[in-house]
Amino acid sequence: MADDISYNIYGDDIQVVEIILEEGEGVRAEIGTMMYMDMDIKMNTGTGGGFMSGLKRKITGESFFITRYTNEGSSSQRVAFAAPYPGKIIPLDLGAVGGRFFCQRDAYLCSAVGIEVNVAFTKKIGAGFFGGEGFILQELKGDGLAFVHAGGTFVEHNLKSGEVLRVDTGCLTAFAESVSYDVKFIGGIKNTLFGGEGLFLTTLTGPGKVYLQSLPFSRMAGRITASWNSDV
């Protein structure tokens, strides 16, 4: 799958990405995300590189298995993948950002066949214990396109060198390798007790591209659970 692959993103609140594959081209996707595909698209489900590859994806919150979709016809064929919950689909051109991008767990949707989905660990203890997702991040590596999912809507920031952005720990979706990632204590008794944002914020230091999400799945699930419990 080349960098200039054709694709369309449909919808507003719950999006679908439709990828157009030429003869012999393929795409890999998370299990259970396929919505529809043309007649000459062939599915092949496996670990995508052996037991360790499957285990790495499982640790990052994805499925142990991954499915490859290949166009075995002589004309263009379509295959589409749907977002798992309300939000937006973000196309990432890894070749344009140095070949590596880091994402929060469960963000990966689909990608070029050559894109590797690995487990990455945060480098600092503070980020690991208090970053909202623990020590584990997803590492996307390669030079093609990958698609990740953000809850709600997403906001893109291009941080300058030394520029600092502080965000809610659950609202970080993805960031470039060049961005420094840490989690720091908010400070202040009233902020700690009544701020409603927890004790820590994620601190991102540029340079590099950052994607934020307005509605983390954990926040949405928490509201649904709280509403359910109040009605019981």
Side-chain angles (χ1 to χ4, degrees):
M1 189 163 95
D3 291 349
D4 59 351
I5 183 176
S6 297
Y7 68 90
N8 299 298
I9 294 179
Y10 299 110
D12 186 18
D13 296 326
I14 305 179
Q15 293 189 322
V16 174
V17 57
E18 179 190 81
I19 297 174
I20 296 92
L21 298 176
E22 301 302 326
E23 181 181 359
E25 287 186 333
V27 62
R28 297 199 304 176
E30 173 69 359
I31 295 292
T33 59
M34 195 275 290
M35 182 179 178
Y36 60 84
M37 60 182 177
D38 283 333
M39 190 71 169
D40 291 328
I41 297 290
K42 180 181 179 181
M43 295 174 56
N44 184 16
T45 300
T47 60
F51 176 82
M52 290 305 299
S53 295
L55 182 60
K56 288 177 181 178
R57 283 195 305 273
K58 190 67 176 179
I59 292 173
T60 64
E62 304 294 344
S63 300
F64 182 83
F65 294 100
I66 195 167
T67 302
R68 176 171 176 164
Y69 300 82
T70 305
N71 178 6
E72 296 194 343
S74 58
S75 60
S76 299
Q77 297 284 289
R78 302 165 299 172
V79 58
F81 307 98
Y85 55 90
K88 305 293 185 182
I89 295 174
I90 306 171
L92 298 176
D93 183 356
L94 298 185
V97 293
R100 295 177 74 194
F101 225 82
F102 293 97
C103 306
Q104 291 284 25
R105 297 179 65 181
D106 298 330
Y108 173 79
L109 184 64
C110 61
S111 67
V113 170
I115 299 297
E116 298 179 21
V117 183
N118 297 316
V119 58
F121 296 93
T122 56
K123 298 178 181 179
K124 298 186 179 180
I125 296 296
F129 280 115
F130 308 114
E133 299 294 341
F135 287 101
I136 301 170
L137 296 170
Q138 290 179 334
E139 177 197 37
L140 305 181
K141 185 177 180 181
D143 62 359
L145 279 172
F147 297 86
V148 299
H149 179 258
T153 191
F154 74 87
V155 178
E156 177 183 339
H157 287 272
N158 287 289
L159 300 181
K160 299 176 182 178
S161 181
E163 183 180 359
V164 176
L165 184 67
R166 297 191 298 169
V167 303
D168 179 270
T169 55
C171 290
L172 177 61
T173 298
F175 58 97
E177 181 184 13
S178 57
V179 175
S180 177
Y181 169 80
D182 197 7
V183 174
K184 295 184 179 180
F185 181 60
I186 294 175
I189 295 177
K190 288 190 291 184
N191 289 334
T192 300
L193 296 178
F194 309 114
E197 303 298 336
L199 300 178
F200 300 87
L201 290 176
T202 296
T203 300
L204 304 167
T205 305
K209 191 182 294 290
V210 172
Y211 290 98
L212 308 179
Q213 59 184 353
S214 65
L215 184 61
F217 180 75
S218 58
R219 184 180 296 177
M220 181 175 67
R223 291 296 180 92
I224 293 173
T225 300
S227 177
W228 173 267
N229 291 337
S230 66
D231 291 338
V232 174

